[in-house]
Amino acid sequence: MDESKPLKVQLTFSVILVGISLLFAAVVTDHWAVLSPSLEENTTSCEAAHFGLWRLCTKRIFMQEPSPKEKSCGPISLPGDHNCSYFKHFTPGQTSEIFEVTTQKEYSISAAAIAIFSVGFAIIGTICVLLSFRKKRDYLLKPASMFYTFAGLCIIISVEVMRQSVKRMIDSKETAWIKYSYSWSFACACAAFVLLFVCGIALLLIALPRFPQNPWETCMDAEPEH
């Protein structure tokens, strides 16, 4: 039996927990993308927006001395009146006119649903790993690794759906947005994909039976793991 295997599992699981934390941070926050409209001449305020999987937040930014070279509103970090509302299709009782004008409903629902699948896979994988620590149930590491890999794939698909949604908003002639940038929630989702996918594969390799160390040794002759 490989004496270093439990240590390898614990180290890999620690990195996976970081990935899961980033995944949860990306799913529950609303800083995936920041949108800026065109800046009119002689204006003292403009309205920028940032949104995530569930909410759209607008911010009226007051500009004391707008630069003539500045064509878009922002940055979003400037002081101003902040207002957030959940998307209309998640809360039918609320109104979200900005969402109807500037976002794609199908893209938003798809990105949110796929992200929920990612969270579900991550939770199931974590349960399998925790159970494997009890009574040496190493066979649970294999399905856990697959669940983590699926979680990583789901969140990167959600990222791509969100990216296409933002691109369509900017390209559409019916929207006022002319400039966009991806924010820290988007970066958390990308980092979560890397950690969950890579560590999921690593956990699978750790869970596989030990290969023969000598040319004349077969898998049946190798020392069985207890």
Side-chain angles (χ1 to χ4, degrees), residues 135-150:
K135 297 181 180 180
K136 303 295 183 180
R137 298 175 181 175
D138 291 344
Y139 60 89
L140 291 175
L141 293 176
K142 297 183 183 68
S145 66
M146 299 307 298
F147 283 126
Y148 287 133
T149 304
F150 293 154

Side-chain angles (χ1 to χ4, degrees), residues 44-88:
T44 58
S45 66
C46 59
E47 191 173 65
H50 64 86
F51 69 97
L53 298 173
W54 319 102
R55 293 198 310 174
L56 175 70
C57 297
T58 59
K59 189 175 186 179
R60 180 161 295 278
I61 300 173
F62 299 98
M63 308 178 65
Q64 296 179 353
E65 296 181 359
S67 173
K69 297 181 180 179
E70 190 69 32
K71 296 182 179 180
S72 61
C73 181
I76 197 84
S77 58
L78 292 175
D81 297 333
H82 199 258
N83 181 36
C84 293
S85 62
Y86 287 93
F87 289 142
K88 186 177 180 180

Side-chain angles (χ1 to χ4, degrees), residues 23 33 62 88 107 122 124 131 164 208 221:
L23 173 63
F62 299 98
K88 186 177 180 180
Y107 279 86
I124 297 174
L131 290 177
Q164 292 296 328
L208 290 176
D221 296 331

Side-chain angles (χ1 to χ4, degrees), residues 26-218:
V27 171
V28 302
T29 55
D30 43 39
H31 287 266
W32 283 62
V34 178
L35 305 174
S36 300
S38 58
L39 190 61
E40 300 179 357
E41 296 182 0
N42 301 323
T43 184
T44 58
S45 66
C46 59
E47 191 173 65
H50 64 86
F51 69 97
L53 298 173
W54 319 102
R55 293 198 310 174
L56 175 70
C57 297
T58 59
K59 189 175 186 179
R60 180 161 295 278
I61 300 173
F62 299 98
M63 308 178 65
Q64 296 179 353
E65 296 181 359
S67 173
K69 297 181 180 179
E70 190 69 32
K71 296 182 179 180
S72 61
C73 181
I76 197 84
S77 58
L78 292 175
D81 297 333
H82 199 258
N83 181 36
C84 293
S85 62
Y86 287 93
F87 289 142
K88 186 177 180 180
H89 49 270
F90 295 127
T91 55
Q94 297 183 7
T95 59
S96 181
E97 295 180 0
I98 297 178
F99 170 77
E100 296 296 334
V101 174
T102 62
T103 62
Q104 305 293 328
K105 178 179 178 180
E106 293 80 9
Y107 279 86
S108 176
I109 295 176
S110 299
I114 296 171
I116 289 298
F117 276 109
S118 179
V119 172
F121 284 136
I123 292 175
I124 297 174
T126 302
I127 293 174
C128 290
V129 172
L130 294 178
L131 290 177
S132 71
F133 291 154
R134 302 180 59 184
K135 297 181 180 180
K136 303 295 183 180
R137 298 175 181 175
D138 291 344
Y139 60 89
L140 291 175
L141 293 176
K142 297 183 183 68
S145 66
M146 299 307 298
F147 283 126
Y148 287 133
T149 304
F150 293 154
L153 291 175
C154 284
I155 194 60
I156 199 62
I157 293 174
S158 181
V159 165
E160 177 60 22
V161 172
M162 182 66 74
R163 193 182 70 85
Q164 292 296 328
S165 175
V166 173
K167 187 176 184 299
R168 286 174 64 93
M169 282 189 283
I170 297 299
D171 294 341
S172 176
K173 297 180 179 180
E174 298 179 357
T175 65
W177 314 114
I178 63 168
K179 185 179 179 181
Y180 72 94
S181 62
Y182 298 111
S183 192
W184 57 269
S185 297
F186 188 90
C188 286
C190 294
F193 157 69
V194 174
L195 294 180
L196 291 175
F197 185 81
V198 173
C199 291
I201 298 298
L203 189 63
L204 177 62
L205 295 177
I206 294 173
L208 290 176
R210 184 175 66 86
F211 290 100
Q213 297 179 348
N214 301 315
W216 55 85
E217 182 183 10
T218 65

